[in-house]
Amino acid sequence: MSATPGGGVRTLRVPGRHGYAAEFSPYLPGRLACAASQHYGIAGSGTLLILDQNESGLRLFRSFDWNDGLFDVTWSENNEHVLVTCSGDGSLQLWDTARATGPLQVFKEHTQEVYSVDWSQTRGEQLVVSGSWDQTVKLWDPTVGKSLCTFRGHESVIYSTIWSPHIPGCFASSAGDQTLRIWDVKTTGVRIVVPAHQAEILSCDWCKYNENLVVTGAVDCSLRGWDLRNVQQPVFELLGHTYAIRRVKFSPFHASVLASCSYDFTVRFWNFSKPDPLLETVEHHTEFTCGLDLSLQSPTQVADCAWDETIKIYDPVCLTMLA
């Protein structure tokens, strides 16, 4: 395992582990979690990597192994040491970084791969939502040993589930059935169904500054923004990626800025309010780029991970200029 600073990019190479998701800690500046898998997630085990930054680059603080590939990770919103991962064996794992071994708990109800997991950001509730290839979304309270409820409606594998940062009990999901769906925990039903692309939708995210704006990223190489008050047409479309978009994230600091990563090996930064929206293209991976996050603490810092066995933290020029 090697860490290299250079050109402002901090890199940690993790031999034999292919990165699927990267998430900055909401508590500790510079701490990053990465969910990774052996053999591109097709077979073998998974590893949760906890990384810290220092002057010399990135260092591995702790790693946890699981007996199947790990596809996503989310930090607790009420305990700086706790996170949840999800796996190819249909389970979710609850980990504590203060302990050298784990997991603390395993939640096994999904019947196929769990591809997405997210911890609610709204205060006063501790809820985790998971999306699976079994075509269901499940709601969990990590203090309860079983799921609170199951949401059905998607007609294909679910790739992405993400809580609204504004509306308690509201989350979005996207799937292979080419739809974006908005759900309400209180009614356990779907509120809005958006036929958002004519292709599988691998990712979605909520704008941090507009409770009605959600972005989708799809296999058709496009990003589309949706105003949930009127979903007849997208409010923006961003074109430039040349292969499927794997993950999209809105900026926590700029209302109209977002980032996307793709199977074209690039990470792209966009400002959808501009006539020429593409701000920057980062080409520092040599394989599918799957994990992406923007720091909650630093307005310029970004993390990503890819199937080239590297995790990178860097400050793109466009964000540095905005700051």
Side-chain angles (χ1 to χ4, degrees), residues 93-116:
Q93 303 80 29
L94 185 75
W95 309 91
D96 183 345
T97 61
R99 297 163 58 136
T101 59
L104 294 179
Q105 207 164 353
V106 178
F107 306 100
K108 176 81 171 76
E109 288 186 29
H110 285 294
T111 57
Q112 292 184 45
E113 290 91 335
V114 188
Y115 227 59
S116 175

Side-chain angles (χ1 to χ4, degrees), residues 128-193:
V128 171
V129 69
S130 61
S132 170
W133 287 15
D134 67 12
Q135 304 182 18
T136 71
V137 176
K138 286 183 181 286
L139 179 72
W140 311 83
D141 177 336
T143 64
V144 177
K146 61 182 192 296
S147 65
L148 303 179
C149 60
T150 302
F151 298 84
R152 301 177 200 279
H154 276 298
E155 294 166 18
S156 183
V157 299
I158 296 167
Y159 290 111
S160 183
T161 49
I162 185 101
W163 288 103
S164 166
H166 310 280
I167 307 161
C170 177
F171 66 90
S173 62
S174 68
D177 63 10
Q178 308 180 357
T179 67
L180 166 73
R181 294 174 190 242
I182 309 299
W183 308 79
D184 186 349
V185 166
K186 290 180 283 296
T187 62
T188 67
V190 67
R191 279 178 46 203
I192 304 170
V193 180

